[in-house]
Amino acid sequence: MNTDTPNPTDSALARHYSLLLGLGEEWTVTRLHLNVEARRLDLFVAYAAKAAPCPECGALAGLHDQQPERTWRHLDTMQFATYIHARVPRVACPKHGAKVIELPWAGKHSRFTLLFEAFAIQVLQAARSKDHACKLLRLEWHQAQEIMNAAVERGMARRGREEVAYIGMDEKSFLQGKKADDFACAMVDLEESRVLEVTRGRSAEGAAELIEKALTPWQQQMVCAVAIDMSAPFEKAIRDLLPNADVVFDKFHIQQHLGEAVDQTRRQEHARLLKEKDRRLSNTKYLWLQGTEHLSPEAEAERRDLLRCALETGKAWGLKEAFQPFWRSRDKKFARAAFDSWYKEVLRLGIRPMVKVAQMLKKHLYGLLAWFDSRIDNGRAEGYNSVIASILSAARGYRNFKNLRTSILFHCGKLDMMPDLVRVGAAPA
């Protein structure tokens, strides 16, 4: 059933919708069209005044002309999808020429009302995926992306330029390849726990772009320390652009390198033992990689039994665990002594994967010792890596980096993204 109300301007219903839309006396609802089968309500609005403020200077000016009819999606009315139709006037400003007037219900170039955008942002933030949010909002994927793009742009424009003392930089693969452009690099404000910016590429140029986009020249001077993995491109960009920042090599990445050395030792030794039909190391990968707190009593007992066998894997695991007191050292002097002692023991045992990691750590020892000045790490950046992985999984991957950046900042940027509802009469003060 379709219902068309051609002249409701004097009716209570027209007045009702005028109030909901926040329309002033210069706008009037001229027609309503209800399509019950399609569950859709169309509101037709016209500008009734003969003059309007110039959007550039605010001076009242006469009308120049009207643009072709445009349509905006509004909040549903009693579960009916609601659309506003209007021809937007242009004013003839003596100073600025013909300008499109500012609308009370929508932003410039938007296809959605301010109230609908605000609601959609909340749904997109709360939904388990963008596809799920689109179903709830009855939007196409590209329409939801348009709202997210506008929200992030709005939030980034509002972000303050206060001092950022401690940051983390990390990378995340978003394409299947291993080229530099297959990675997204994110900068995290470690104190405020928010993503500041995301760029593409893990080269020195990409890292420099990340710093320059995320921080003003003044903010770059104020950075005290940066937590990174032992990435030469990241370090070069930091040295070039953040003159007062210490480079701190992230202890979680260091622990990861040590764990990988233990696993490499296990795989090599397991291959040798299998040739002798010895299967002691079969299915033991996670015995050596997981902490004691994550092992069942049975698994912990199995690891103790294997440690008594004097296998190279057990010795490598012992070296990994023996590195932990380094982080509990009182200061740099004691930490240096702890590292030297550990390093000598690694060389004495001569387990190749562990020796290789120990030599790498010695080469980068300055970045490990810098931790004792700031005691920062990339734990929060790694946490956002998990969020980014969820975003990638929910979207089944991203081919368009711009959309990926928008999604990361939308969910992790702690941005003020809500549209300005001051102009909307129905919005709360």
Side-chain angles (χ1 to χ4, degrees):
M1 183 181 76
N2 295 338
T3 303
D4 206 15
T5 308
N7 292 302
T9 53
D10 296 328
S11 70
L13 187 60
R15 180 62 178 162
H16 169 75
Y17 280 108
S18 293
L19 289 173
L20 286 180
L21 297 174
L23 303 180
E25 293 182 358
E26 67 276 14
W27 289 94
T28 180
V29 177
T30 61
R31 184 161 59 93
L32 308 177
H33 181 78
L34 179 66
N35 186 326
V36 177
E37 289 82 4
R39 294 169 60 196
R40 171 169 174 150
L41 173 64
D42 291 272
L43 307 175
F44 295 84
V45 177
Y47 194 76
K50 296 182 179 180
C54 171
E56 296 289 337
C57 63
L60 197 64
L63 300 187
H64 176 73
D65 60 10
Q66 289 188 327
Q67 293 188 309
E69 184 179 286
R70 290 173 57 192
T71 304
W72 297 263
R73 172 76 184 276
H74 188 49
L75 292 173
D76 290 358
T77 302
M78 303 293 286
Q79 300 183 2
F80 279 65
T82 303
Y83 295 84
I84 299 172
H85 304 262
R87 296 185 65 190
V88 184
R90 292 196 302 170
V91 293
C93 178
K95 184 176 180 181
H96 298 101
K99 293 291 181 180
V100 179
I101 70 169
E102 189 177 68
L103 297 174
W105 65 80
K108 189 177 182 180
H109 304 309
S110 177
R111 294 183 292 169
F112 307 94
T113 67
L114 298 170
L115 288 172
F116 183 86
E117 281 194 58
F119 177 66
I121 289 169
Q122 292 175 315
V123 172
L124 285 161
Q125 287 179 318
R128 64 173 179 263
S129 70
K130 189 186 298 183
D131 287 343
H132 187 227
C134 287
K135 289 179 182 178
L136 292 172
L137 294 166
R138 287 187 278 179
L139 289 175
E140 298 294 332
W141 191 94
H142 68 90
Q143 292 176 313
Q145 188 65 45
E146 181 182 329
I147 291 174
M148 291 175 67
N149 289 342
V152 168
E153 184 178 348
R154 188 184 302 121
M156 293 295 279
R158 290 173 178 169
R159 177 176 275 175
R161 293 302 179 182
E162 65 277 2
E163 179 180 334
V164 180
Y166 301 105
I167 61 177
M169 294 170 61
D170 205 0
E171 60 195 34
K172 179 69 178 178
S173 172
F174 73 98
L175 295 175
Q176 294 183 349
K178 295 297 182 181
K179 297 182 295 184
D181 278 354
D182 295 334
F183 289 79
C185 294
M187 179 184 289
V188 176
D189 178 349
L190 297 178
E191 291 185 302
E192 296 297 326
S193 188
R194 56 179 179 160
V195 174
L196 295 175
E197 186 55 270
V198 184
T199 57
R200 184 172 187 172
R202 58 175 178 175
S203 61
E205 293 77 13
E209 180 189 2
L210 177 62
I211 292 171
E212 290 175 332
K213 287 186 69 174
L215 304 171
T216 66
W218 177 81
Q219 286 177 312
Q220 292 172 27
Q221 297 288 327
M222 295 297 105
V223 176
C224 298
V226 187
I228 61 171
D229 61 11
M230 286 174 280
S231 165
F234 278 9
E235 184 174 359
K236 182 181 185 306
I238 293 166
R239 302 290 186 199
D240 290 344
L241 297 172
L242 306 177
N244 300 312
D246 291 332
V247 174
V248 181
F249 293 131
D250 177 48
K251 65 179 183 179
F252 292 104
H253 280 92
I254 292 165
Q255 189 65 18
Q256 185 179 30
H257 284 297
L258 291 168
E260 289 171 353
V262 173
D263 191 54
Q264 187 178 354
T265 303
R266 178 196 62 80
R267 286 187 277 110
Q268 292 175 355
E269 188 171 29
H270 181 49
R272 293 196 300 268
L273 291 175
L274 283 179
K275 292 178 180 178
E276 302 171 5
K277 302 189 183 307
D278 185 338
R279 303 184 62 84
R280 277 180 291 177
L281 289 177
S282 295
N283 302 316
T284 64
K285 176 179 179 178
Y286 294 104
L287 290 180
W288 310 108
L289 296 182
Q290 290 185 335
T292 301
E293 67 277 10
H294 299 300
L295 292 179
S296 65
E298 296 78 12
E300 177 62 20
E302 182 182 358
R303 185 167 67 186
R304 284 199 301 270
D305 290 340
L306 289 170
L307 287 171
R308 296 189 187 101
C309 297
L311 297 169
E312 280 197 355
T313 302
K315 294 176 183 177
W317 179 84
L319 290 172
K320 175 176 74 75
E321 294 299 302
F323 190 81
Q324 299 314 304
F326 172 87
W327 303 111
R328 297 192 291 271
S329 300
R330 184 183 304 171
D331 55 30
K332 284 183 178 181
K333 179 180 178 181
F334 284 89
R336 180 63 188 257
F339 180 85
D340 290 342
S341 176
W342 176 82
Y343 185 75
K344 289 178 182 178
E345 182 64 11
V346 174
L347 295 184
R348 186 186 71 80
L349 292 175
I351 301 171
R352 282 192 176 185
M354 293 302 298
V355 170
K356 185 176 179 181
V357 171
Q359 290 173 339
M360 178 182 65
L361 295 183
K362 185 175 183 179
K363 180 181 177 182
H364 295 87
L365 185 57
Y366 60 91
L368 278 67
L369 295 174
W371 180 83
F372 291 90
D373 293 324
S374 60
R375 297 183 181 270
I376 63 171
D377 57 60
N378 253 348
R380 288 177 179 172
E382 288 294 316
Y384 280 125
N385 261 352
S386 299
V387 176
I388 294 169
S390 299
I391 291 171
L392 289 168
S393 176
R396 301 179 186 88
Y398 278 83
R399 303 300 300 179
N400 186 315
F401 172 76
K402 180 182 177 182
N403 290 343
L404 173 62
R405 173 184 176 270
T406 293
S407 294
I408 294 172
L409 291 172
F410 185 87
H411 291 287
C412 307
K414 292 188 176 180
L415 299 171
D416 176 12
M417 299 183 291
M418 286 298 180
D420 181 7
L421 299 177
V422 173
R423 290 181 287 145
V424 181

